PDB file of all heavy atoms in Angstrom:
ATOM      1  N   GLN A 261     -47.151 -35.623  84.627  1.00  0.00           N
ATOM      2  CA  GLN A 261     -47.862 -36.861  84.278  1.00  0.00           C
ATOM      3  C   GLN A 261     -47.258 -37.556  82.998  1.00  0.00           C
ATOM      4  O   GLN A 261     -47.183 -38.754  82.966  1.00  0.00           O
ATOM      5  CB  GLN A 261     -49.317 -36.457  83.986  1.00  0.00           C
ATOM      6  CG  GLN A 261     -50.122 -36.182  85.232  1.00  0.00           C
ATOM      7  CD  GLN A 261     -51.592 -35.839  84.949  1.00  0.00           C
ATOM      8  OE1 GLN A 261     -51.835 -35.154  83.924  1.00  0.00           O
ATOM      9  NE2 GLN A 261     -52.427 -36.384  85.716  1.00  0.00           N
ATOM     10  N   ASP A 513     -33.556 -64.050  64.750  1.00  0.00           N
ATOM     11  CA  ASP A 513     -32.418 -63.861  63.837  1.00  0.00           C
ATOM     12  C   ASP A 513     -32.945 -63.482  62.460  1.00  0.00           C
ATOM     13  O   ASP A 513     -32.380 -62.626  61.781  1.00  0.00           O
ATOM     14  CB  ASP A 513     -31.494 -65.005  63.891  1.00  0.00           C
ATOM     15  CG  ASP A 513     -30.336 -64.828  63.028  1.00  0.00           C
ATOM     16  OD1 ASP A 513     -29.466 -63.988  63.385  1.00  0.00           O
ATOM     17  OD2 ASP A 513     -30.134 -65.494  61.972  1.00  0.00           O
ATOM     18  N   GLY A 624     -29.845 -87.591  75.509  1.00  0.00           N
ATOM     19  CA  GLY A 624     -29.752 -88.882  76.295  1.00  0.00           C
ATOM     20  C   GLY A 624     -28.333 -89.289  76.189  1.00  0.00           C
ATOM     21  O   GLY A 624     -27.536 -88.932  75.354  1.00  0.00           O
TER      22      GLY A 624
END
Side-chain angles (χ1 to χ4, degrees):
Q261 286 182 319
D513 183 67

